[in-house]
Amino acid sequence: MATLGLAIDTTFDDTSVAILRGRNEVLAHLTLSQLEEHAEFGGVVPERASRKHLEVIHALIRQAVREAAVALTDLDWVAVSNRPGLLGSILIGLTVAKALSFALKIPLIGINHIEAHPYACLLAGEDLDFPALHLVVAGGHTLLLLQEGHFDWRVVGRSRDDAAGECADKVARVFGLPMPGGKAIDEIALACQPGDYAFPRPMMAEEHFDFSFSGLKTALKYFHRDMDPNLDTRPVLAAFFQSLCDVLLAKTQRAAVHYQVRTVTVSGGLAASGYLQERFRSATQDVPFRLRLAPRALCTDNAAMVACLAAITFEAGRFDGFDLRAEPNLSV
Ligand code: KG4
Ligand code: ZN
């Protein structure tokens, strides 16, 4: 019989709860964004984030249980993203998950939030063919992960400075666009041609699979400082996003061939970009691997992807104890 589990994600600025039957039947999925909460500060304020998680988490769990039409006592497991992220924020979800595990006498499962991102692709129903290469383009991380099995991960590429999402967010701020910056720039890139503007494509031609986006960000900062204030900036931002996506695409394709993978996934907040998804789709028509793009609605942080990886972890009997810790730093 399919298992029933509840997953919590409070790693950053979204409070998210999901209830999953089996590996991919989402019975309830609720995410409360704190975007408005931090807008006036131009970035996430950690103390405010954890306070907000604490205010809403219990009501969110109650609502999820109601929507899923299950009882808490029906749950077989409870999972939580305990790494990486903001320490105070993770602690809220972790404490609630431990309390549920203790009270209901069900296994507790700690999940790596970054490893959960690609599992958004599995919620469409299929499994992964290994080896798989995952491009994870989240707000704080840009990573290429090689996966040989569900619990066998290796980082083969990472950003040496800014993450791609962070770069897009910072450029958007310089150009006066609303948050989330990636979304605002994506809409421009879809609607507008880049014209004759061209920006650097850092490390694109280099053999390794690491990234660097701070130079591209700086090029845009200088461009903005020196430009005619009446210039139509939409083609400029379209050219910027084209450069950024060119690098992501080229590195991922090269790594996929190098490691002879059978599946390539693209996930994380920036992967919600319609422009990025289209670029990947059209560039991978005739390739020796299968491309799996995370559903756009499940690219940004959510507990459904955490639940999916947790269900597979539960099936494998890999549980955690009450000594499970919050680990703010990334370790894959
Ligand atoms: O995965 P995520 O929600 O948070 C982290 O785990 O870091 O990613 C946030 C990133 C931000 O850079 C944001 O600008 C970008 O995802 N983003 C988008 C969209 N929604 C959020 N980028 C492109 N298109 C969107 N619709
Ligand atoms: Zn994330």
Side-chain angles (χ1 to χ4, degrees), residues 11 20 137 208:
T11 45
L20 192 75
V137 274
H208 59 79

Side-chain angles (χ1 to χ4, degrees), residues 70-81:
V70 296
L72 276 178
T73 47
D74 296 335
L75 295 175
D76 298 302
W77 51 263
V78 58
V80 61
S81 303

